[in-house]
Amino acid sequence: MGSLLRTAAGSIPPSGLVLLGIFSVQLGAGFAKELFGALPPSAVVFLRIMAGALIMGVVARPKLRGMSWRAWAVGLGFGATLGLMNLTFYEALSRLPMGIAVAIEFLGPLGVAVAASRRRLDLVWIGLAGVGVALLAPWGQSQSVNWVGIGFALAAGVCWAAYILLSAAAGQHFPGTTGLSFAMIVSAVVVAPVGVASGGTDLLQPELVLIGLGVGLLSSVIPYSLELNALRRMPKHVFGILMSLEPAVAAMVGLVVLGEVLHLQQWAAIASIVAASLGATRSR
């Protein structure tokens, strides 16, 4: 799987790889949300992470012998954060339209980008992101947005910020993609009790297992492989700028795949958060 993806990716420009990875992640989220009618979000998370862990474990099997205690600490923290990030995001996804859930979650990496800079201009991007969140908040009666969903999305954003920092730390202790593989295995263990308890015997249905495998491929294995290949061939700030488009792509996938129609105010909010992310990335 890994060699096949690398061979195919070699003929695609790096910017195209990033965009393909973004669409893959959001398609995976769209298909996952379709499963919520048959399984609770935590059970879908379990299927996704288990599928990703099995595939990544084969593609990049981590070597546990000789690992230092620091590597164990970073790997375990990385895996637990990955599991919590997915759990909170899927709970948000079950309560919010995709574009809104991803836009709020994106405040996490935006915060990391701003925290790494000391420019006064960053206050503009913080304010712009705040405007976006204010526009998304259900101040009145809203059938598509609620405070619980926003809370889960914000928690997912915090986990995403921690994930970025731990990912960098894992790169110092694990070769190649073995750190991510180790983290996915740990996250599968962390999520398993909640996912199995909520899903029960429905997790044994062959069609649901196959869809979960597809979600794991689309949401984890394919985009991670594409992004790693792209990062080897393009500047990191360009990669960050392209990744800033993710909330807009999520909104479009939600519209096409799930029929989630957003109001003009909600589109304006997503545009504000995307603009804040683009600005913070360029400033950095």
Side-chain angles (χ1 to χ4, degrees), residues 140-228:
Q141 297 295 324
S142 176
Q143 297 180 347
S144 61
V145 180
N146 61 69
W147 287 111
V148 176
I150 289 175
F152 275 117
L154 288 172
V158 172
C159 291
W160 194 354
Y163 169 88
I164 292 171
L165 299 176
L166 287 168
S167 177
Q172 298 175 1
H173 295 281
F174 295 87
T177 58
T178 56
L180 177 61
S181 178
F182 181 80
M184 292 195 72
I185 294 171
V186 172
S187 67
V189 175
V190 170
V191 169
V194 180
V196 172
S198 63
T201 56
D202 289 337
L203 290 170
L204 301 177
Q205 296 183 35
E207 63 273 18
L208 296 182
V209 173
L210 286 175
I211 296 174
L213 178 62
V215 169
L217 280 169
L218 287 170
S219 300
S220 302
V221 180
I222 292 176
Y224 291 150
S225 300
L226 293 176
E227 289 168 7
L228 284 172

Side-chain angles (χ1 to χ4, degrees), residues 19-208:
L19 293 175
L20 283 174
I22 292 173
F23 275 103
S24 180
V25 168
Q26 299 310 325
L27 279 175
F31 291 141
K33 189 166 185 174
E34 290 279 16
L35 277 178
F36 291 168
L39 290 171
S42 56
V44 178
V45 171
F46 172 69
L47 284 178
R48 171 199 163 166
I49 292 182
M50 182 60 70
L54 289 173
I55 296 169
M56 288 295 294
V58 173
V59 173
R61 185 171 59 183
K63 295 181 180 180
L64 303 183
R65 285 186 178 180
M67 280 177 52
S68 66
W69 68 269
R70 290 182 182 275
W72 275 102
V74 170
L76 292 173
F78 191 19
T81 300
L82 181 61
L84 289 173
M85 181 177 72
N86 282 281
L87 278 173
T88 51
F89 175 68
Y90 274 44
E91 289 292 346
L93 199 60
S94 68
R95 295 168 171 84
L96 302 172
M98 267 185 63
I100 294 176
V102 173
I104 296 174
E105 184 196 28
F106 218 77
L107 295 175
L110 173 60
V112 173
V114 171
S117 175
R118 294 294 183 269
R119 298 173 181 264
R120 291 183 179 181
L121 184 60
D122 289 328
L123 295 175
V124 175
W125 312 131
I126 294 173
L128 194 57
V131 169
V133 173
L135 289 173
L136 289 175
W139 303 114
Q141 297 295 324
S142 176
Q143 297 180 347
S144 61
V145 180
N146 61 69
W147 287 111
V148 176
I150 289 175
F152 275 117
L154 288 172
V158 172
C159 291
W160 194 354
Y163 169 88
I164 292 171
L165 299 176
L166 287 168
S167 177
Q172 298 175 1
H173 295 281
F174 295 87
T177 58
T178 56
L180 177 61
S181 178
F182 181 80
M184 292 195 72
I185 294 171
V186 172
S187 67
V189 175
V190 170
V191 169
V194 180
V196 172
S198 63
T201 56
D202 289 337
L203 290 170
L204 301 177
Q205 296 183 35
E207 63 273 18
L208 296 182

